[in-house]
Amino acid sequence: MSQKESFMKEIIRKIAGFEGVSESEITGKVKSGRAVIPLNFQRKDIKKPTVIGEGFTVKVNANIGGSPDIEDAGSELEKLQVSVKAGADTVMDLTIGKKWETILRKVLKSSPVPVGTVPVYAVVCEENSVAGINGDEFIDIIRRQAEMGVDFMTIHAGITKKTVEVYDSSDRLGGIVSRGGKLLYRWISENKKENPLYEYFDEILDIAKKHNVTISLGDGMRPGAIEDASDEVQFSELDTLGELTRRCRDAGVGVMVEGPGHVPLNKIEENVLREKEVTDGAPFYVLGPLTTDIGAGYDHITGAIGGAFAAYKGADFLCYVTPAEHMHLPDSNDVIDGVVASKIAAHSADIARGNKSALERDRKMSLARKNLDWEKMRDLAIYPGPLEETFKKYKIREDRACTMCGEYCALLDL
Amino acid sequence: MSQKESFMKEIIRKIAGFEGVSESEITGKVKSGRAVIPLNFQRKDIKKPTVIGEGFTVKVNANIGGSPDIEDAGSELEKLQVSVKAGADTVMDLTIGKKWETILRKVLKSSPVPVGTVPVYAVVCEENSVAGINGDEFIDIIRRQAEMGVDFMTIHAGITKKTVEVYDSSDRLGGIVSRGGKLLYRWISENKKENPLYEYFDEILDIAKKHNVTISLGDGMRPGAIEDASDEVQFSELDTLGELTRRCRDAGVGVMVEGPGHVPLNKIEENVLREKEVTDGAPFYVLGPLTTDIGAGYDHITGAIGGAFAAYKGADFLCYVTPAEHMHLPDSNDVIDGVVASKIAAHSADIARGNKSALERDRKMSLARKNLDWEKMRDLAIYPGPLEETFKKYKIREDRACTMCGEYCALLDL
């Protein structure tokens, strides 16, 4: 057995323990392309590797990273820590700004969970004009980030010249809301050339294969408005993602597919089923989806509604949305609220999908509640913070009802 | 036309305007029992009457009211104000404590929206022992509250001697979690007599008819744990609620039916369909439902997930859940978070159900977002607070991207 093979065997053993499944279940699903283990060969001492896909618990990603307006490595490392504490299964460092490499190196050094990036962000930070970027630069950055140890990368290879045509002749309300999608749209439109990520996809596959980077096929044309959900633009890109999924599998590269976005409740199931059909069951990584456009300030909630329903219907991986969405760069408190909301969505789907350990945790919580065992309730809660604050503020004693009903608590046996 | 008839005609005209539907649509649905207008004849100057049921927008109720531990009229009036500002369509004053009458009178005097109560709470506050309550006292309090002007009342008439038997022989995990349900369970068990609310239901109907009080049939046996959802205890009570619904209709009394509780995503649809079948389409008023037991501190989110899905599948009225649920009596901030989360759920369902004005609001929001028109975004948001704070803190200027992406904002046309 090669060194790489024995490393992966050890990782799978560890994940099997976390998931409560057998090692062969994981190996089988990964082989069939219905699950992925995002893990760069460099990341030998990763503490919390994970598996994402069919048959496993629903996972949650937290986006961290600075922006040109707020770029501070310390804050981003703090967000990494609170994300993991709140239960994020992966993080993506989406820094877009001059310090991207410094921040990414620090995140990779201290992250116990898999780390993802969107390499086009780094490309654009190193060039002043989008149209002026040379096609090779995209591939160079992907190689650099793979060598740095990035575990999974969003590759916006689905936006082709054809997608741009479909978009240009569409009457979309919300336009393009993906940063990466918009960058490539502009590059293709201004240069009148094919998307380099699509054109040189084989080179990307070589890099991914060499470093064991999982490819997350980006949905640059995801709907950013309820009205645009399931439109021709979105599904035209999805068809290309299906083709690229097959190419990843043929090359032995792990692949998952990203999905929307803003989608009303009545279109979520069709979105999940269509992704699964077009990609022959590739893990589906959804951003939200948000079930209304008017949730600014509360989009962790609109995202939890859509995420729970999407995961119940088969989505595998939820990208969190924070209360800062559509307003500002999230701070650490926003990050906690975002992770917890997504974990609630993921756990609600695990429950609905009959996951035994999820059901057991709820069972234990209900017993603790019936017994008014506050310490146990805190230990079993999705996040202990609010219960800890309640203990301090309201001085709840053991076996004592809370201030909601006082002596009339239904759980007291008077 | 009698004075009462012309009053109701005026109310229906007003509601038709709010809803964007014709007066005859409202009249027809109310006549068929598929919708209710909770409104006591005393409340002549109500500012925001509402209709709840089939074909109308999903409504949200906010529970306010003190407990024996925290009983202060000022706080409850503040909660009333913030509830209405955040968009609550009704409030229930659930005060359980000696000051119930003082608080309820003040709430009724200042509430622009319909006010509901749970009369058994007041009964128990005036007696020291549950078993010692005389059956007549239940009816007397219902009459007193109807005379005070209460618009709708939760009547726990579905817990009969038979329901108690079913419960006693069940292996329920979470027990009885409804305060009213537990009180009646104890009264029936200790006195070995039939539930007075069931036994004297005709008297209750006379009172309701006289004052135009809408009856909300309580679900005292609602599941308080995921494991108990859709159990025999719950559905046995629901059957009785179906029988009582028919008696309300025969008496010409408006009636809606309350529902769970803690329900996993995979059982929400069956709960909605069953309620509609058993009650021949009576408006369904759900508490949450919460899609997991472990959300303490974040149960406005677990409730929004369940509420959105329930309403999408046909529930008509969402009782909010606040972040304080399972922990302490909510304060004003909890109330705002609870109402907003439920409004998001209700609006997401309106969108999924194809409501035109809901879709139009989202459309306008997406246009404002695309144009980076921050003032309009604030005006169209589900609640303006977070955007207002963002303006102050991050000094967002017109046509300027937010700190999330800065100059790389996908919406900027560079």
Side-chain angles (χ1 to χ4, degrees), chain B residues 221-264:
Chain B
M221 290 297 185
R222 67 170 172 269
I226 288 294
E227 191 172 298
D228 299 335
S230 299
D231 72 355
E232 204 195 341
V233 189
Q234 183 196 338
F235 285 150
S236 157
E237 183 185 29
L238 180 57
D239 288 340
T240 310
L241 300 186
E243 172 208 322
L244 294 168
T245 300
R246 284 186 291 281
R247 286 174 64 186
C248 289
R249 283 182 181 152
D250 290 346
V253 168
V255 61
M256 54 190 168
V257 172
E258 297 184 13
H262 290 231
V263 186

Side-chain angles (χ1 to χ4, degrees), chain A residues 18 38-40 43 45-50 60-62 64 79-81 83-85 87-92 107-116 149-152:
Chain A
F18 297 152
L39 188 67
N40 191 303
R43 304 250 295 144
D45 46 6
I46 190 165
K47 288 201 180 65
K48 294 183 178 171
T50 196
V60 167
N61 173 73
I64 60 171
K79 288 183 203 169
L80 166 65
Q81 280 176 346
S83 297
V84 173
K85 198 190 154 201
D89 300 288
T90 66
V91 296
M92 290 190 81
V107 167
L108 279 166
K109 205 174 161 189
S110 44
S111 176
V113 298
V115 174
V150 170
D151 300 298
F152 63 106

Side-chain angles (χ1 to χ4, degrees), chain B residues 254-286:
Chain B
V255 61
M256 54 190 168
V257 172
E258 297 184 13
H262 290 231
V263 186
L265 273 168
N266 57 316
K267 292 187 179 170
I268 288 178
E269 187 171 7
E270 74 184 27
N271 267 274
V272 176
L273 298 181
R274 186 151 177 157
E275 186 274 349
K276 291 288 178 185
E277 194 195 327
V278 169
T279 68
D280 192 21
F284 195 24
Y285 177 21
V286 290

